Amino acid sequence: MADEHALIQCLPAHLREEAMASAQRVRLNPGDMVFRAGDGCRGLPMVLSGSVRVQMLGASGHGIVLYRMGADDLCTLSIGCLMAGRGYRAEAHVEEPTEALLLPSVVFDQLMAQSGEFRQRVMASYGRRLDDLMLLVEEVAFGRMDQRLTGWLRAHAVGRPAAVTHQALAVELGTAREVISRLLKEMERQGQVRLARGKVEYLER
Amino acid sequence: MADEHALIQCLPAHLREEAMASAQRVRLNPGDMVFRAGDGCRGLPMVLSGSVRVQMLGASGHGIVLYRMGADDLCTLSIGCLMAGRGYRAEAHVEEPTEALLLPSVVFDQLMAQSGEFRQRVMASYGRRLDDLMLLVEEVAFGRMDQRLTGWLRAHAVGRPAAVTHQALAVELGTAREVISRLLKEMERQGQVRLARGKVEYLER
DNA sequence: GAGGCTCAGTGATAAAGTCACATTGGTTAT
DNA sequence: ATAACCAATGTGACTTTATCACTGAGCCTC
């Protein structure tokens, strides 16, 4: 049971103590929202364990999942909000019971100044996120929906059925619920998938 | 004629001198490519003046413009590549005569450690880029092509015709050339636009 | 066992993407 | 100047996605 974030563990003892002393420990439950679009940012969240989904809401009411934060991730989005002093553009939903630290921005800056390893990890984390988003842009712009859906199912619904509604899948891939319903129905006809209310199982061949 | 990047100017004198001493000055011309997909990263580029377009190539051969770098921007993408030690995923095309500095990554890290203002600006720049990409995802996922096209024209082709081909517009918006051709033709029929080979002018009403 | 939920299915139509060519305008070589 | 060439644009036919407006199905509660 890691009690500290990898980013904290990598710090020399005196900085680590200071970080832990000023950080606020947060416990979140599935369904909670960490922040909503427009919210101000009150510190830098670092996820210790669990999973948080970050998504955007389009004008049409549709949404799309941008990325997820898991153990040892930090919320790169928040850094931008802290620096620019504007609100979040996305919203974050807790998916699994999650523990997190909320680090005051002053302390964050101090750690950035004083620990090379901390800097390194933060920048790397930022790079990864940028990369994720670039891949997402490419997928959304050029990917075919049936292949994106199959990709998701292969990653999440092999072996045992995944507990997910068509609506949730639509948000996951940034499309409309009807599109998912039709694609799944077709895949079912072809025996690639087994469907039940709120469940989808992908059948490997 | 600013001789230094805003990020350099904000540094205290001794750091500034060190930065300028170790940075390599680069002059680029329209058509040059700063980096291609897969290239390794040899330092952190900072744009002094000019304009560089960063875009991705999809599997289908289509591309999409992710963002542009202009005066006083730094290439956030490169930071990720430097930190993670992997190649670029996108490619960068010079659009206008451009001057840039190439800062060794060791020096970059040193500046991050020693100047709060530098840190602040770098992180803010990162935040902006992240934000740009999130907006792009939303637009690509939910925006209507005719409205996105109109938006581009309003920003670039009012008053005098913009020198741009349908193909270039397609890459700009991440779609196929035929789609742009048809939309423009329709707008021409409705008198919203004047067309010529390699030129588009938007007619405000 | 009757409502009242949320979840899923579907027809009709519009928007966007794909493929395969036809045309056109401008440049270059003879 | 004329032919030849090439990049840019136009278009038809067809597929895939998105949108709108419903209908039907499963499940829970009273």
Side-chain angles (χ1 to χ4, degrees):
Chain A
M1 198 82 10
D3 205 45
E4 292 179 4
H5 195 287
L7 267 171
I8 301 285
Q9 283 175 350
C10 81
L11 294 169
H14 69 286
L15 286 177
R16 181 165 10 159
E17 276 160 30
E18 187 176 342
M20 290 306 287
S22 59
Q24 184 187 339
R25 202 185 194 84
V26 191
R27 201 174 293 269
L28 301 157
N29 296 308
D32 289 356
M33 286 184 67
V34 186
F35 52 79
R36 293 158 201 274
D39 278 7
C41 182
R42 286 183 314 282
L44 182 68
M46 302 166 64
V47 177
L48 298 173
S49 66
S51 173
V52 176
R53 184 179 78 242
V54 176
Q55 70 189 42
M56 264 190 117
L57 246 62
S60 48
H62 291 207
I64 183 169
V65 173
L66 297 173
Y67 59 84
R68 288 187 162 71
M69 293 184 291
D72 290 342
D73 271 337
L74 84 167
C75 182
T76 38
L77 240 190
S78 300
I79 305 183
C81 292
L82 282 172
M83 296 297 151
R86 51 156 184 62
Y88 288 101
R89 180 154 277 135
E91 55 184 40
H93 298 257
V94 177
E95 294 192 308
E96 296 170 19
T98 294
E99 281 197 307
L101 290 178
L102 199 63
L103 202 64
S105 70
V106 185
V107 178
F108 170 72
D109 189 61
Q110 195 184 340
L111 297 181
M112 283 294 278
Q114 297 182 13
S115 163
E117 171 126 15
F118 186 83
R119 265 200 306 283
Q120 172 101 20
R121 284 170 179 264
V122 168
M123 299 311 283
S125 169
Y126 237 122
R128 250 176 283 125
R129 202 97 300 161
L130 219 49
D131 226 53
D132 289 350
L133 281 181
M134 287 181 11
L135 280 178
L136 182 59
V137 168
E138 192 200 357
E139 227 187 77
V140 170
F142 305 124
R144 293 192 33 155
M145 200 46 82
D146 55 355
Q147 287 167 18
R148 294 179 59 210
L149 178 55
T150 304
W152 192 95
L153 293 174
R154 256 210 274 271
H156 298 92
V158 284
R160 78 264 104 102
V164 68
T165 66
H166 297 186
Q167 176 59 48
L169 269 172
V171 170
E172 199 72 45
L173 302 180
T175 184
R177 199 259 316 153
E178 298 92 311
V179 174
I180 298 293
S181 289
R182 279 194 253 262
L183 286 174
L184 282 177
K185 207 70 196 158
E186 179 58 24
M187 292 174 75
E188 186 185 41
R189 272 193 280 276
Q190 301 189 3
Q192 299 169 22
V193 101
R194 186 161 20 229
L195 301 177
R197 184 188 174 86
K199 290 197 172 17
V200 187
E201 181 177 3
Y202 185 73
L203 306 173
E204 209 82 63
R205 45 195 50 229
Chain B
M1 196 85 9
D3 204 47
E4 293 179 4
H5 194 287
L7 268 170
I8 302 283
Q9 283 175 350
C10 81
L11 295 169
H14 68 287
L15 287 177
R16 182 165 10 160
E17 277 158 32
E18 186 175 342
M20 290 307 287
S22 59
Q24 184 188 340
R25 202 184 193 83
V26 190
R27 202 174 293 270
L28 301 157
N29 295 309
D32 289 356
M33 287 185 67
V34 187
F35 52 79
R36 295 159 200 273
D39 278 7
C41 182
R42 286 182 315 281
L44 182 66
M46 301 166 64
V47 177
L48 297 173
S49 66
S51 173
V52 176
R53 185 180 77 241
V54 175
Q55 69 189 41
M56 263 192 118
L57 248 60
S60 48
H62 291 210
I64 183 169
V65 173
L66 296 173
Y67 58 84
R68 286 185 165 72
M69 291 184 290
D72 290 343
D73 270 338
L74 84 167
C75 182
T76 38
L77 240 190
S78 300
I79 307 184
C81 292
L82 282 173
M83 295 297 151
R86 50 154 184 68
Y88 288 100
R89 180 154 277 136
E91 55 185 40
H93 298 257
V94 177
E95 293 192 308
E96 296 169 18
T98 294
E99 282 196 308
L101 290 177
L102 198 63
L103 202 64
S105 72
V106 185
V107 178
F108 170 72
D109 189 60
Q110 195 184 339
L111 297 180
M112 283 294 279
Q114 296 182 12
S115 165
E117 172 126 16
F118 186 84
R119 264 199 307 282
Q120 173 101 21
R121 284 169 179 264
V122 168
M123 299 312 283
S125 170
Y126 236 122
R128 251 177 282 123
R129 202 94 303 159
L130 219 49
D131 227 52
D132 289 350
L133 281 180
M134 287 181 10
L135 280 178
L136 182 59
V137 168
E138 191 199 356
E139 228 187 76
V140 170
F142 306 125
R144 291 191 33 155
M145 199 47 81
D146 55 354
Q147 288 168 18
R148 294 178 59 208
L149 178 56
T150 304
W152 191 95
L153 294 173
R154 255 210 276 271
H156 299 92
V158 285
R160 79 263 105 106
V164 68
T165 66
H166 298 185
Q167 177 59 50
L169 270 172
V171 171
E172 200 71 46
L173 302 180
T175 182
R177 199 259 315 154
E178 299 93 310
V179 173
I180 298 293
S181 288
R182 279 193 253 262
L183 286 174
L184 282 178
K185 206 71 196 156
E186 178 59 24
M187 291 175 74
E188 186 185 41
R189 273 192 279 276
Q190 302 190 2
Q192 299 169 22
V193 101
R194 185 159 24 228
L195 300 179
R197 186 187 174 86
K199 290 198 173 14
V200 188
E201 181 176 2
Y202 186 72
L203 306 173
E204 208 82 64
R205 46 194 51 230

